[in-house]
Amino acid sequence: NKKAFVELLFWKNPTAVCEMTKGYSSLQEGEGAPRSRVPPWTPQEEQELRELYWKYKEVEGEDVIAAILAHLPTPGRTRRQVVKQLVRM
């Protein structure tokens, strides 16, 4: 790759360096640095999240996200995931 010097100017993770040296798309699925894959939100989960948000958004003195997490039927969602999904919706 004749333009690899440009890529060296920016910070890389081990996976990106491996792809630069072996060629792009050379890594097979499951190789390289472990990536945490967030399971996608299903339409049912989005609807439940929407309902919980409207239920708890007006409660005084209570953290809305904490209340949603406590009542979310799908365990394993983090506070950050819930906030990102609410912003996206």
Side-chain angles (χ1 to χ4, degrees), residues 41 45-47 49-50 84-89:
W41 289 79
E45 288 176 327
E46 286 181 357
Q47 181 62 30
L49 183 62
R50 189 175 290 113
K84 280 181 74 174
Q85 185 64 19
L86 283 171
V87 169
R88 191 187 69 75
M89 291 178 6

Side-chain angles (χ1 to χ4, degrees), residues 22-85:
K22 294 183 181 179
Y24 293 99
S25 301
S26 63
L27 291 178
Q28 300 298 322
E29 188 67 32
E31 290 182 8
R35 296 181 182 177
S36 61
R37 297 282 181 199
V38 177
W41 289 79
T42 64
Q44 294 83 12
E45 288 176 327
E46 286 181 357
Q47 181 62 30
E48 184 69 27
L49 183 62
R50 189 175 290 113
E51 290 172 5
L52 287 171
Y53 173 74
W54 286 108
K55 181 178 178 181
Y56 293 109
K57 79 174 195 141
E58 299 289 331
V59 177
E60 291 284 330
E62 188 174 342
D63 184 17
V64 176
I65 305 300
I68 289 173
L69 282 171
H71 294 92
L72 202 61
T74 310
R77 295 284 185 188
T78 64
R79 181 180 181 88
R80 181 179 214 154
Q81 291 170 348
V82 171
V83 170
K84 280 181 74 174
Q85 185 64 19

